[in-house]
Amino acid sequence: RLGCVHVSSGDLFRKHQVEGTNTGKLVETYMRRGELVPDHVTIQMILQRVQENDCTNGYVLDGFPRTFAQAQALDKALHERREIVDVALYINVDQEELVRRLNGRLICRKCQTPFHEVTAPPSKFGVCDDCSGELYHREDDKPDAVRRRVQLYLEQTVPLLDYYRTQGKLREVNGQGSIDEVGHAMTLALAN
Ligand code: AMP
């Protein structure tokens, strides 16, 4: 809808794993346990990705930055390229709902499209509607890893809300509704 690319740090790490690259091997244990991948690895991967040609008209970063060091590295790199972060979109969902969504989440091995067993099931069991790839439950959507991910989110990522708020860049949407409702709220939040 925005005419710009979706760049997800998690998707990029999962792609590295599928391709068996050194980065893929390095991040495997962190990801399985729901730990954050070290900043230098994550920052380098993202800054490299957003220099590719398809990003020249802008991009949406998803899952990045998650720490102060990442936010600062992003600002520094963008400053050098005479670019800025326009908006930081905060999709606010309470923890209970978050856990419910992750418990039932299925994603496509090939194209990473997410589904949910109850609220957004695929037309055909176990098969991606978009590319016919195989759907699976992410290892880090299991309860122990989810608990750790939520804990790290509260400790390391929530402080970034103030970082962007003080810069006047934070826009918040209520993420509790249906996919359509949240999508609509996001479109409105980005409209001006
Ligand atoms: P996600 O698909 O965004 O839920 O990310 C899945 C996993 O990839 C996370 O639990 C981390 O292990 C790793 N990861 C993704 N993005 C980052 C990031 N910005 N910083 C550190 N680790 C990340």
Side-chain angles (χ1 to χ4, degrees):
R1 268 184 231 171
L2 296 172
C4 58
V5 192
H6 171 221
V7 176
S8 152
S9 44
D11 284 357
L12 289 173
F13 283 135
R14 282 183 287 279
K15 191 160 171 262
H16 273 287
Q17 285 186 291
V18 170
E19 290 170 359
T21 66
N22 286 340
T23 302
K25 286 175 198 143
L26 177 85
V27 302
E28 210 265 321
T29 319
Y30 293 104
M31 290 184 72
R32 186 161 28 82
R33 296 187 185 147
E35 299 292 336
L36 291 177
V37 171
D39 281 333
H40 68 279
V41 179
T42 311
I43 290 165
Q44 197 199 15
M45 178 183 73
I46 289 288
L47 294 184
Q48 210 171 318
R49 174 66 187 88
V50 300
Q51 270 187 319
E52 288 175 27
N53 284 341
D54 59 347
C55 289
T56 44
N57 290 330
Y59 43 86
V60 176
L61 290 172
D62 170 6
F64 181 95
R66 265 168 154 102
T67 66
F68 251 120
Q70 292 178 14
Q72 282 169 335
L74 177 65
D75 280 347
K76 185 166 171 282
L78 291 181
H79 183 74
E80 283 162 13
R81 298 174 198 173
R82 296 176 193 280
E83 292 173 8
I84 52 160
V85 171
D86 296 305
V87 170
L89 193 59
Y90 172 37
I91 306 168
N92 193 351
V93 182
D94 71 37
Q95 261 189 58
E96 215 174 287
E97 173 66 4
L98 200 61
V99 170
R100 191 189 64 76
R101 288 183 188 176
L102 296 183
N103 275 341
R105 178 161 72 173
L106 296 162
I107 66 165
C108 174
R109 242 182 240 290
K110 227 158 95 185
C111 72
Q112 309 272 338
T113 299
F115 295 85
H116 188 277
E117 285 169 342
V118 180
T119 53
S123 320
K124 198 170 154 201
F125 180 80
V127 180
C128 175
D129 287 356
D130 287 358
C131 77
S132 303
E134 181 201 357
L135 301 183
Y136 76 108
H137 280 288
R138 274 169 50 175
E139 191 68 24
D140 60 347
D141 280 345
K142 293 185 177 161
D144 281 353
V146 166
R147 263 192 293 278
R148 182 67 181 143
R149 285 163 62 198
V150 169
Q151 186 189 11
L152 286 169
Y153 172 76
L154 295 173
E155 283 171 15
Q156 308 225 30
T157 309
V158 165
L160 295 185
L161 297 177
D162 268 344
Y163 181 81
Y164 289 112
R165 195 178 279 122
T166 52
Q167 294 180 39
K169 293 183 175 173
L170 193 77
R171 304 205 188 155
E172 179 171 344
V173 301
N174 178 358
Q176 292 289 124
S178 67
I179 293 172
D180 281 349
E181 286 164 348
V182 179
H184 184 62
M186 288 167 73
T187 307
L188 282 181
L190 293 171
N192 43 51

